[in-house]
Amino acid sequence: MLIEESLAGRWRGGEVAAEGRIATAAAETPGLTAAVTLSLTGVELPPRAGEGGAAGNGLSGGRLDLRLTGESAGADPAALRAALTGQGEVTVADTTLTGLDLARLAADLPKIQGRDAARALLAGVTGGGTTPLPTLSGPVTLAGTDLATTGLTARAPAGALTLTGQLDLDRDRMQGRLAIDPEDGPGFALDLSGPVERPGLEVRADALLD
């Protein structure tokens, strides 16, 4: 048995293309095998509701490009879905990081003296505002319904950003870390966990507060 399907169309102002193949496995390994490819080009990301801190932490607006290939083997369609693995590349262009004001960090960090001043700056920077990101890009992997990255990188007003973590596509929940490496001063990180629309945030800034 061999089933092959393909589709192409437009979604949110961009192009979508996908191909899939399901076949009966070899006699010595009964069951099904599958291979899929997915391509998104120029898909528009929706703006986040609210402004600054009210918008939560996330990406607002921009255009998404994604290339993903995957394969799987299992006894039935449910097993195929659970065993799916894949890899690819993602790029988000002209987006805005909400809930984080890295322009303020770049301006004020060189003038900071003392733990209390650093703590106040961090509270202000991570409590609201926005940061434009011309490009956020890097590798992604897929395991079942978990989409993960070992490092999406971007340049921002305060320096370099690196996002690592994973997204549960079934539950719309995420867990990750956004590392900020300022051009002038010690780095810090934000741990993000919870619902994708409004994840919880915990600041990790021991080097900055010492």
Side-chain angles (χ1 to χ4, degrees), residues 9-187:
R10 295 191 63 80
W11 180 55
R12 287 186 174 177
E15 298 179 355
V16 180
E19 296 182 357
R21 176 175 57 84
I22 298 178
T24 303
E28 61 272 17
T29 56
L32 302 171
T33 63
V36 297
T37 62
L38 175 65
S39 172
L40 305 178
T41 304
V43 172
E44 296 177 359
L45 298 180
R48 294 179 70 88
E51 298 182 358
N57 298 100
L59 298 180
S60 179
R63 300 184 308 278
L64 170 69
D65 291 349
L66 172 68
R67 304 289 183 274
L68 189 66
T69 61
E71 58 184 18
S72 184
D76 53 43
L80 282 180
R81 183 171 182 266
L84 180 63
T85 60
Q87 59 186 5
E89 294 282 334
V90 63
T91 299
V92 182
D94 299 325
T95 190
T96 299
L97 179 63
T98 62
L100 195 61
D101 188 352
L102 294 185
R104 177 180 174 184
L105 179 69
D108 293 351
L109 186 58
K111 301 177 287 186
I112 290 298
Q113 294 184 353
R115 177 186 292 265
D116 290 343
R119 195 182 301 277
L121 175 60
L122 279 177
V125 166
T126 60
T130 60
T131 298
L133 299 180
T135 304
L136 175 69
S137 62
V140 291
T141 59
L142 181 66
T145 59
D146 287 339
L147 187 66
T149 181
T150 55
L152 300 183
T153 60
R155 296 293 302 180
L161 305 181
T162 303
L163 176 66
T164 58
Q166 66 182 36
L167 169 65
D168 186 329
L169 299 174
D170 255 359
R171 303 170 59 210
D172 286 333
R173 296 181 67 85
M174 69 166 294
Q175 184 164 353
R177 170 168 288 193
L178 180 64
I180 296 98
D181 185 14
E183 295 177 352
D184 191 353

